[in-house]
Amino acid sequence: MGTRLLELQVNGRTQAVAAADSALLVEVLRETLQLTGTKQGCDGGECGACTVLVDGEPRLSCITLAASVQGRAIETIESLGTQGRLSALQRAFHEKLGAQCGFCTPGMVMAAEALLRRNARPSEAQIREALAGNLCRCTGYVKIVEAVQAAAEARA
Ligand code: FES
Ligand code: FES
């Protein structure tokens, strides 16, 4: 196992990073690039907290090798909204109390963002299906579903 120079496209910018062949995307995002919005909530592949988008599709960054996503468009929670201004989806999570402790929220928001891009007016069942891999210990999910529905209306 060696170290190599990777070129990653993160949030619209090309980032050159030295990383071990075995480096996970979540590690590179959080530790090398200081994009700590992406969370790690389990030992691997079970909670969804680490969800980012790769070419617009949700991807668990804790079981994704950084080297495997070179040249792909990686989006993290930091790409949503603008400086000091939440996106409609982030605002809906805030206003509908879809975020409580907030640990699951970045992954939840990125999974919901991918859903709303491909389906502007999802049903409750479609929202629940899209977020099925994202676990939340706090909210009971009702507020999260309401937040995604509110965001869909705001974006329409
Ligand atoms: S941290 Fe990736 S699925 Fe839990
Ligand atoms: S808001 Fe606490 S885990 Fe979801």
Side-chain angles (χ1 to χ4, degrees):
M1 283 279 178
T3 297
R4 64 169 111 166
L5 195 62
L6 303 180
E7 273 201 357
L8 298 177
Q9 312 292 328
V10 183
N11 299 339
R13 290 180 54 197
T14 301
Q15 303 271 14
V17 296
D21 292 338
S22 59
L24 297 167
L25 181 57
V26 68
E27 297 168 342
V28 170
L29 291 172
R30 287 181 53 82
E31 294 164 26
T32 310
L33 299 177
Q34 303 295 305
L35 294 171
T36 54
T38 301
K39 305 301 182 206
Q40 183 157 19
C42 71
D43 287 338
E46 290 172 10
C47 74
C50 64
T51 303
V52 298
L53 303 189
V54 176
D55 291 340
E57 292 299 320
R59 180 75 82 87
L60 298 176
S61 62
C62 74
I63 53 171
T64 299
L65 290 175
S68 73
V69 289
Q70 286 197 96
R72 315 274 298 273
I74 301 161
E75 295 170 79
T76 71
I77 189 75
E78 285 87 353
S79 69
L80 301 187
T82 53
Q83 192 77 31
R85 192 178 165 85
L86 298 175
S87 71
L89 179 56
Q90 290 171 306
R91 197 162 53 249
F93 266 75
H94 175 62
E95 290 175 353
K96 295 289 179 185
L97 304 180
Q100 291 184 23
C101 83
F103 201 82
C104 71
T105 308
M108 204 69 87
V109 167
M110 296 313 284
E113 175 69 22
L115 170 67
L116 293 179
R117 287 185 195 174
R118 66 175 184 273
N119 181 354
R121 299 305 295 260
S123 66
E124 179 182 341
Q126 288 169 327
I127 294 169
R128 288 185 180 273
E129 184 184 354
L131 301 181
N134 294 76
L135 304 184
C136 177
R137 294 175 193 276
C138 306
T139 65
Y141 301 100
V142 172
K143 299 294 183 189
I144 289 171
V145 172
E146 288 177 3
V148 178
Q149 288 170 324
E153 278 172 31
R155 286 160 67 133

PDB file of all heavy atoms in Angstrom, residues 98-105 135-139, ligand 2:
ATOM      1  N   GLY A  98     -36.449  19.244  11.509  1.00  0.00           N
ATOM      2  CA  GLY A  98     -35.954  17.983  10.980  1.00  0.00           C
ATOM      3  C   GLY A  98     -34.561  17.672  11.469  1.00  0.00           C
ATOM      4  O   GLY A  98     -34.050  16.578  11.276  1.00  0.00           O
ATOM      5  N   ALA A  99     -33.937  18.652  12.104  1.00  0.00           N
ATOM      6  CA  ALA A  99     -32.617  18.431  12.698  1.00  0.00           C
ATOM      7  C   ALA A  99     -32.722  18.662  14.195  1.00  0.00           C
ATOM      8  O   ALA A  99     -33.208  19.707  14.628  1.00  0.00           O
ATOM      9  CB  ALA A  99     -31.595  19.389  12.095  1.00  0.00           C
ATOM     10  N   GLN A 100     -32.301  17.679  14.971  1.00  0.00           N
ATOM     11  CA  GLN A 100     -32.288  17.875  16.426  1.00  0.00           C
ATOM     12  C   GLN A 100     -30.834  17.860  16.901  1.00  0.00           C
ATOM     13  O   GLN A 100     -30.204  18.891  16.960  1.00  0.00           O
ATOM     14  CB  GLN A 100     -33.216  16.868  17.082  1.00  0.00           C
ATOM     15  CG  GLN A 100     -34.664  17.233  16.721  1.00  0.00           C
ATOM     16  CD  GLN A 100     -35.704  16.385  17.384  1.00  0.00           C
ATOM     17  OE1 GLN A 100     -35.496  15.776  18.428  1.00  0.00           O
ATOM     18  NE2 GLN A 100     -36.879  16.349  16.776  1.00  0.00           N
ATOM     19  N   CYS A 101     -30.269  16.678  17.194  1.00  0.00           N
ATOM     20  CA  CYS A 101     -28.837  16.725  17.522  1.00  0.00           C
ATOM     21  C   CYS A 101     -28.040  17.099  16.277  1.00  0.00           C
ATOM     22  O   CYS A 101     -26.942  17.650  16.360  1.00  0.00           O
ATOM     23  CB  CYS A 101     -28.350  15.397  18.090  1.00  0.00           C
ATOM     24  SG  CYS A 101     -27.928  14.157  16.845  1.00  0.00           S
ATOM     25  N   GLY A 102     -28.590  16.782  15.104  1.00  0.00           N
ATOM     26  CA  GLY A 102     -27.969  17.206  13.850  1.00  0.00           C
ATOM     27  C   GLY A 102     -26.916  16.277  13.294  1.00  0.00           C
ATOM     28  O   GLY A 102     -26.401  16.533  12.205  1.00  0.00           O
ATOM     29  N   PHE A 103     -26.613  15.198  13.998  1.00  0.00           N
ATOM     30  CA  PHE A 103     -25.500  14.370  13.517  1.00  0.00           C
ATOM     31  C   PHE A 103     -25.834  13.680  12.194  1.00  0.00           C
ATOM     32  O   PHE A 103     -24.987  13.556  11.319  1.00  0.00           O
ATOM     33  CB  PHE A 103     -25.109  13.321  14.569  1.00  0.00           C
ATOM     34  CG  PHE A 103     -23.728  12.809  14.356  1.00  0.00           C
ATOM     35  CD1 PHE A 103     -22.630  13.516  14.825  1.00  0.00           C
ATOM     36  CD2 PHE A 103     -23.500  11.650  13.646  1.00  0.00           C
ATOM     37  CE1 PHE A 103     -21.341  13.075  14.597  1.00  0.00           C
ATOM     38  CE2 PHE A 103     -22.215  11.195  13.408  1.00  0.00           C
ATOM     39  CZ  PHE A 103     -21.139  11.908  13.884  1.00  0.00           C
ATOM     40  N   CYS A 104     -27.082  13.277  12.058  1.00  0.00           N
ATOM     41  CA  CYS A 104     -27.481  12.605  10.821  1.00  0.00           C
ATOM     42  C   CYS A 104     -27.773  13.587   9.699  1.00  0.00           C
ATOM     43  O   CYS A 104     -27.946  13.185   8.548  1.00  0.00           O
ATOM     44  CB  CYS A 104     -28.734  11.765  11.063  1.00  0.00           C
ATOM     45  SG  CYS A 104     -30.234  12.782  11.312  1.00  0.00           S
ATOM     46  N   THR A 105     -27.894  14.866  10.051  1.00  0.00           N
ATOM     47  CA  THR A 105     -28.487  15.836   9.130  1.00  0.00           C
ATOM     48  C   THR A 105     -27.714  16.033   7.831  1.00  0.00           C
ATOM     49  O   THR A 105     -28.332  16.061   6.757  1.00  0.00           O
ATOM     50  CB  THR A 105     -28.708  17.176   9.860  1.00  0.00           C
ATOM     51  OG1 THR A 105     -29.438  16.930  11.062  1.00  0.00           O
ATOM     52  CG2 THR A 105     -29.485  18.146   8.989  1.00  0.00           C
ATOM     53  N   LEU A 135     -30.024   6.802   9.002  1.00  0.00           N
ATOM     54  CA  LEU A 135     -30.614   6.581  10.324  1.00  0.00           C
ATOM     55  C   LEU A 135     -30.580   7.855  11.151  1.00  0.00           C
ATOM     56  O   LEU A 135     -29.619   8.619  11.105  1.00  0.00           O
ATOM     57  CB  LEU A 135     -29.860   5.476  11.066  1.00  0.00           C
ATOM     58  CG  LEU A 135     -29.763   4.135  10.336  1.00  0.00           C
ATOM     59  CD1 LEU A 135     -29.088   3.106  11.231  1.00  0.00           C
ATOM     60  CD2 LEU A 135     -31.132   3.651   9.875  1.00  0.00           C
ATOM     61  N   CYS A 136     -31.664   8.057  11.899  1.00  0.00           N
ATOM     62  CA  CYS A 136     -31.729   9.189  12.832  1.00  0.00           C
ATOM     63  C   CYS A 136     -32.160   8.660  14.180  1.00  0.00           C
ATOM     64  O   CYS A 136     -33.151   7.935  14.278  1.00  0.00           O
ATOM     65  CB  CYS A 136     -32.731  10.233  12.332  1.00  0.00           C
ATOM     66  SG  CYS A 136     -32.914  11.611  13.488  1.00  0.00           S
ATOM     67  N   ARG A 137     -31.440   9.042  15.215  1.00  0.00           N
ATOM     68  CA  ARG A 137     -31.783   8.571  16.559  1.00  0.00           C
ATOM     69  C   ARG A 137     -32.724   9.535  17.271  1.00  0.00           C
ATOM     70  O   ARG A 137     -33.173   9.251  18.380  1.00  0.00           O
ATOM     71  CB  ARG A 137     -30.516   8.420  17.401  1.00  0.00           C
ATOM     72  CG  ARG A 137     -29.594   7.328  16.913  1.00  0.00           C
ATOM     73  CD  ARG A 137     -28.309   7.321  17.718  1.00  0.00           C
ATOM     74  NE  ARG A 137     -27.305   6.499  17.074  1.00  0.00           N
ATOM     75  CZ  ARG A 137     -27.215   5.182  17.212  1.00  0.00           C
ATOM     76  NH1 ARG A 137     -28.070   4.552  17.979  1.00  0.00           N
ATOM     77  NH2 ARG A 137     -26.287   4.516  16.580  1.00  0.00           N
ATOM     78  N   CYS A 138     -32.977  10.708  16.701  1.00  0.00           N
ATOM     79  CA  CYS A 138     -33.685  11.742  17.455  1.00  0.00           C
ATOM     80  C   CYS A 138     -35.103  12.026  16.998  1.00  0.00           C
ATOM     81  O   CYS A 138     -35.970  12.285  17.820  1.00  0.00           O
ATOM     82  CB  CYS A 138     -32.930  13.068  17.368  1.00  0.00           C
ATOM     83  SG  CYS A 138     -31.206  12.982  17.848  1.00  0.00           S
ATOM     84  N   THR A 139     -35.337  12.069  15.701  1.00  0.00           N
ATOM     85  CA  THR A 139     -36.545  12.759  15.242  1.00  0.00           C
ATOM     86  C   THR A 139     -37.758  11.874  15.022  1.00  0.00           C
ATOM     87  O   THR A 139     -38.860  12.391  14.919  1.00  0.00           O
ATOM     88  CB  THR A 139     -36.281  13.455  13.895  1.00  0.00           C
ATOM     89  OG1 THR A 139     -36.011  12.452  12.918  1.00  0.00           O
ATOM     90  CG2 THR A 139     -35.126  14.420  13.977  1.00  0.00           C
TER      91      THR A 139
HETATM   92  S1  FES B   2     -31.126  14.575  14.534  1.00  0.00           S
HETATM   93 FE1  FES B   2     -29.971  13.384  15.928  1.00  0.00          FE
HETATM   94  S2  FES B   2     -29.451  11.611  14.838  1.00  0.00           S
HETATM   95 FE2  FES B   2     -30.808  12.657  13.561  1.00  0.00          FE
END
